[in-house]
Amino acid sequence: MTLPLWLQAGFWGLVAGSALLLGAAAGYWARIPQRVVAAIMAFGGGVLISALSFDLMDEAYKRGGFDSTSIGFLSGAAVYTAANWYLSRQGAKHRKRSGGQQPSEEETSGSGLAIAVGALLDGIPESIAIGVSMIKGGVVSWVAVVAIFLSNIPEGLSSSAGMKKAGRSVRYIFGVWAAIAIISGVAAFAGYAVFSHFSEEVIAATTAVAAGGILAMLVDTMIPEAFEEAHNFAGLITVLGFLLAFILTKLGD
C-alpha cells in the first residue's frame, strides 16, 4: 500500500529533522572537542551550500526562470535576516555556538525561548523545501533529504553543547529538538499540501525562498562557529562537504 504523498512529505521532513536529536545527544553526552564540533559544522555547511545550489536553486530556475527564482531567493534571505536580527537581540545570537557564548536565562531573561524560536526558524526553510521537492513527479528529492539530515547533525550537536554550557536543562534541550523534529515533518507536509495547488512560478519562488533562507542561516549561524575553532582548515572541510553533496546530486540525476 502506497502512502499518500502528503504523508510521505511529512515523513521525510521528520526523518531529516530527527538528525537534530542525534546531534543533540552527541553534543550533550559526548565530550567532543570544540575544534571537532567546528569541523563537523563546516562539513555540514558545505553540504547545504551544495544542496541549495545544485538542487533547490537549479530546480527553481527550471520551473520559474530568473524572475521567480531571484525574487524568491532575495525574499527568503531578507525575511530570515530580519527575523534572525530580532531574535539575536532577545538572546538567540549564539544559538549554534558550542562554547560559552550562549547566555543563560539569568544573564538574559527570555533567551531560552528566543533560542528555541531561533532554532525553529533555522529548520523551517529546509523542511518546506523537502515538501516542495515532491510536487514534481511525487518523488522526494532524496539528495535534499540526505543533505539536510547530514547538516542537521552538526547543528544539533554544536547548539546542544552550547546550551549545556549555558546551564540549560536536559529537558529543555531535548524538548526543543524533539519539537523541532516534529514541526519539520509538519512543515514538509505543508510544503507539499499547500504549494502543490499553485503555479510553477509560485512553486519556483517558494523553493528559492527556502534556498535564500538556508544560505542566510549558514552565514549568520553555522559559518561563525566553524571558522572560530577550525579557521585554518574550515575552508577545506567545507569543500569536502560540498563535494559529497555534489556527488549525491549527480548520482540522483
Side-chain angles (χ1 to χ4, degrees):
M1 179 180 177
T2 303
L3 294 175
L5 291 178
W6 59 266
L7 189 56
Q8 291 183 43
F11 169 77
W12 288 116
L14 181 62
V15 168
S18 66
L20 292 167
L21 282 168
L22 296 178
Y28 189 86
W29 281 299
R31 290 192 173 185
I32 303 175
Q34 280 188 255
R35 184 160 295 191
V36 175
V37 174
I40 297 172
M41 187 70 84
F43 185 84
V47 168
L48 272 184
I49 291 171
S50 181
L52 69 88
S53 300
F54 296 102
D55 199 46
L56 299 183
M57 287 296 285
D58 189 54
E59 181 63 27
Y61 171 72
K62 289 177 181 177
R63 284 180 178 273
F66 282 119
D67 291 346
S68 298
T69 302
S70 299
I71 292 171
F73 192 60
L74 291 173
S75 298
V79 169
Y80 177 88
T81 300
N84 186 59
W85 173 82
Y86 174 77
L87 290 169
S88 294
R89 292 174 64 88
Q90 308 306 311
K93 181 177 181 180
H94 299 298
R95 60 185 177 274
K96 282 196 172 72
R97 306 302 294 272
S98 61
Q101 300 94 336
Q102 289 189 31
S104 65
E105 194 66 25
E106 290 74 22
E107 293 171 330
T108 305
S109 179
S111 59
L113 177 60
I115 289 171
V117 175
L120 177 61
L121 173 69
D122 298 337
I124 286 178
E126 303 169 351
S127 303
I128 291 176
I130 289 175
V132 172
S133 75
M134 294 190 64
I135 294 175
K136 182 180 179 181
V139 179
V140 72
S141 171
W142 64 272
V143 175
V145 173
V146 171
I148 293 169
F149 185 93
L150 290 176
S151 66
N152 276 344
I153 292 176
E155 284 188 51
L157 191 159
S158 181
S159 184
S160 296
M163 290 177 182
K164 183 180 180 180
K165 289 179 180 178
R168 305 196 186 280
S169 68
V170 64
R171 182 177 179 180
Y172 168 89
I173 294 171
F174 286 93
V176 165
W177 296 122
I180 293 174
I182 293 171
I183 294 172
S184 294
V186 174
F189 153 74
Y192 175 82
V194 174
F195 293 100
S196 60
H197 304 291
F198 286 91
S199 66
E200 290 286 286
E201 288 75 17
V202 172
I203 295 172
T206 303
T207 304
V209 164
I214 292 170
L215 185 56
M217 178 273 291
L218 281 168
V219 176
D220 286 347
T221 64
M222 290 183 70
I223 290 178
E225 171 69 11
F227 181 77
E228 181 169 321
E229 294 295 333
H231 58 273
N232 290 328
F233 300 98
L236 176 61
I237 297 168
T238 302
V239 167
L240 291 174
F242 184 98
L243 179 61
L244 173 63
F246 175 75
I247 292 171
L248 292 176
T249 299
K250 295 308 175 185
L251 290 176
D253 288 344

